[in-house]
Amino acid sequence: MAGTEPMSLGEFLESLSSAKTHLNNSQREGLLAMREALVVFAELAERTGTEALGLPAHILRIMVATLDYFISLLPPDTTKRDHPDITAAKREALSGLIEALDAEIVRTAAAAETEADIAKIEALQSLIHYLETEMRALPVDGAAKGKRARVTKVTVE
């Protein structure tokens, strides 16, 4: 084509910004779909008292809470006008994960017989302590997005 200027790399990458938005949204939607499927299997395992997907219900609940946390790290769907507050979603995901880990501690403590069981309980307690520290580091309101203290040290008791 005569008379057209070649596109610079910066201009080319800028033109891909809508593609980036669609990729971010699809990644979020994929994780949400996986989360919903795991919730169904977790509820099935809880109702029947058996395993689903070869996993007990408490492990499935931990997987759901972990997905909640990863979903909260992604930017909101920018194609929708009303998107949830990211800080609230992170807080909810961390709370769910702490709740699932607490349940695992209770379940493990009830059948603890070996040093490995005690070590598992201590490791789970340390993980809960870390998640609680992360939750306290979240901003109180949505106005301070991105401005939170990073956890730099966790003390294991």
Side-chain angles (χ1 to χ4, degrees):
M1 294 184 183
T4 60
E5 297 279 329
M7 185 183 287
S8 71
L9 179 61
E11 292 169 334
F12 174 73
L13 293 176
E14 182 62 34
S15 68
L16 292 177
S17 67
S18 66
K20 180 181 175 186
T21 300
H22 291 299
L23 289 172
N24 283 339
N25 293 343
S26 67
Q27 183 180 24
R28 181 179 190 83
E29 290 298 318
L31 288 175
L32 285 169
M34 191 180 338
R35 180 200 183 282
E36 293 304 318
L38 282 175
V39 166
V40 169
F41 286 113
E43 289 174 356
L44 176 68
E46 288 169 347
R47 288 182 186 159
T48 62
T50 62
E51 292 184 349
L53 300 176
L55 298 169
H58 66 279
I59 298 296
L60 291 168
R61 286 292 177 191
I62 290 172
M63 292 170 68
V64 168
T66 303
L67 282 175
D68 284 341
Y69 180 71
F70 287 132
I71 291 167
S72 73
L73 296 177
L74 294 174
D77 186 344
T78 54
T79 60
K80 296 178 183 174
R81 287 181 154 220
D82 299 321
H83 55 78
D85 180 34
I86 298 300
T87 302
K90 285 181 182 180
R91 193 174 307 284
E92 184 178 332
L94 288 170
S95 294
L97 191 52
I98 289 169
E99 199 174 293
L101 292 172
D102 272 337
E104 178 64 12
I105 287 172
V106 169
R107 190 190 68 73
T108 302
E113 295 180 359
T114 65
E115 289 293 321
D117 294 332
I118 302 298
K120 178 180 177 182
I121 291 169
E122 290 173 353
L124 290 171
Q125 288 171 335
S126 296
L127 185 56
I128 287 173
H129 179 69
Y130 170 77
L131 294 174
E132 288 171 341
T133 304
E134 279 289 310
M135 194 162 19
R136 283 191 301 274
L138 290 174
V140 177
D141 61 355
K145 288 181 183 174
K147 296 180 182 177
R148 69 178 187 98
R150 294 299 279 162
V151 175
T152 58
K153 181 179 177 183
V154 175
T155 306
V156 178
E157 296 176 10

